[in-house]
Amino acid sequence: MGAGSVVDNAIRHPQGGRVVCELLGINASRAVDAGPWLRRFQPRGGALANNPDGWGLAYTEGGEFKITKSPTPGAESSVLSALCSTVHSSLVIGHVRHANHPYVNSIENTHPFIRSCCGKEWIFAHNGLVSDIKTLPEARLHEGCNPLGQTDSEYAFCYLLERIAFHIDVNARSDGEVQVDRFASIVELVAAHGRFNFLISDGAYLIAYGHDHLHFLDDSDTATKAVVIATVPLSTDKWVPFEPGELRIYQGGRLITSRHTRLGAVHERTEIYKETTL
């Protein structure tokens, strides 16, 4: 386990324009030292990249999520620096924010977000913009998941949880591929309304969606399976870009399954909208 040389080049969106907000995910077969990757991620919060409007870090410890965040530049945070030296976990989600919608720095608008759904706690962080989702007549929010801030990201998170609660059996011991197909359809629906790169976890799985800008790196060694996911490569190692619209699900550092969603238009699978059992 480890990280190669740091990269500090300015990253731009492949279709033009600078990437705003950045994600970091780590998933491993055992608790690992997250420090090498966190130290490379921290400068992205306002020093090496224009993401000065907040930072957040969520990770599992003792079977529960711990979350720390602040609406201040991550690159300047002594708290984040301390976490770089202390976090040992098998699942980590980090975010540095470039305020876009809205242009308000507050703890309520800072990722990652945490909510309860289906007897589990969920963590979510997002890169992109999906403000149009609020205009959908079907955009009912999960009970108990009213957004605390003003971001489209938190709204999209609550929308996902509403669809998960109604359409997916998160405790199912069979038909796992069917559940993944349903989740991919939900993601595809949201992605049709903007840019929707995200990380989400229920503590057991790390789910990553690369709408148009996300990378992964196999960080395994002889003792540990591990994957690192980031908006931009954080080292000179051989990072692999997600294919546009690719959904990847990890557990214990291993890729469990993946899907490819269609981008660009709302598809015809209206059952995801309906309040009827699939």
Side-chain angles (χ1 to χ4, degrees):
M1 297 284 298
S5 302
V6 68
V7 291
D8 60 1
N9 54 306
I11 304 297
R12 294 185 177 275
H13 186 273
Q15 286 147 357
R18 183 175 292 275
V19 172
V20 294
C21 300
E22 293 188 28
L23 302 168
L24 172 68
I26 301 172
N27 184 233
S29 56
R30 62 175 179 87
V32 297
D33 179 8
W37 293 113
L38 291 178
R39 292 186 186 95
R40 284 160 172 75
F41 186 63
Q42 183 177 10
R44 310 296 303 176
L48 296 182
N50 186 24
N51 303 300
D53 300 316
W55 65 272
L57 188 68
Y59 56 95
T60 53
E61 183 178 276
E64 298 180 347
F65 278 117
K66 306 291 185 180
I67 184 168
T68 304
K69 55 185 183 178
S70 171
T72 59
E76 302 172 4
S77 173
S78 60
V79 175
L80 182 52
S81 293
L83 288 169
C84 291
S85 300
T86 59
V87 172
H88 287 71
S89 179
S90 60
L91 199 155
V92 177
I93 291 178
H95 185 275
V96 288
R97 182 172 184 246
H98 177 108
N100 186 41
H101 182 77
Y103 295 97
V104 176
N105 294 7
S106 68
I107 194 69
E108 293 82 9
N109 290 336
T110 306
H111 307 222
F113 304 106
I114 184 168
R115 289 293 192 280
S116 296
C117 177
C118 307
K120 298 172 178 282
E121 282 194 325
W122 297 76
I123 293 287
F124 175 84
H126 166 231
N127 159 268
L129 185 65
V130 288
S131 55
D132 285 352
I133 190 177
K134 296 183 179 181
T135 67
L136 288 177
E138 299 84 1
R140 296 173 299 275
L141 299 184
H142 177 62
E143 181 180 357
C145 193
N146 292 322
L148 301 177
Q150 299 84 42
T151 65
D152 61 301
S153 301
E154 188 182 16
Y155 192 100
F157 179 34
C158 291
Y159 180 85
L160 280 180
L161 292 184
E162 190 275 336
R163 298 295 163 180
I164 289 171
F166 193 79
H167 293 288
I168 297 174
D169 182 358
V170 298
N171 297 305
R173 295 186 178 182
S174 60
D175 296 328
E177 294 300 311
V178 172
Q179 308 299 328
V180 173
D181 286 341
R182 291 175 179 174
F183 183 72
S185 292
I186 298 167
V187 171
E188 186 177 78
L189 174 63
V190 179
H193 294 276
R195 293 179 56 223
F196 198 45
N197 305 284
F198 70 81
L199 300 174
I200 190 171
S201 176
D202 65 349
Y205 300 92
L206 177 61
I207 303 172
Y209 182 67
H211 185 151
D212 59 2
H213 206 88
L214 204 59
H215 298 77
F216 67 90
L217 174 71
D218 184 346
D219 196 35
S220 303
D221 59 24
T222 56
T224 308
K225 289 294 296 181
V227 63
V228 183
I229 299 169
T231 300
V232 300
L234 299 175
S235 68
T236 56
D237 299 298
K238 294 182 179 180
W239 293 75
V240 180
F242 278 54
E243 295 182 19
E246 185 177 9
L247 179 74
R248 299 175 68 88
I249 301 179
Y250 292 91
Q251 184 180 41
R254 300 176 184 272
L255 179 66
I256 301 302
T257 190
S258 64
R259 294 290 187 278
H260 289 83
T261 64
R262 292 178 289 171
L263 299 178
V266 178
H267 54 79
E268 298 81 12
R269 295 184 59 181
T270 56
E271 70 267 22
I272 294 299
Y273 289 115
K274 296 177 181 178
E275 292 190 11
T276 56
T277 302
L278 290 174

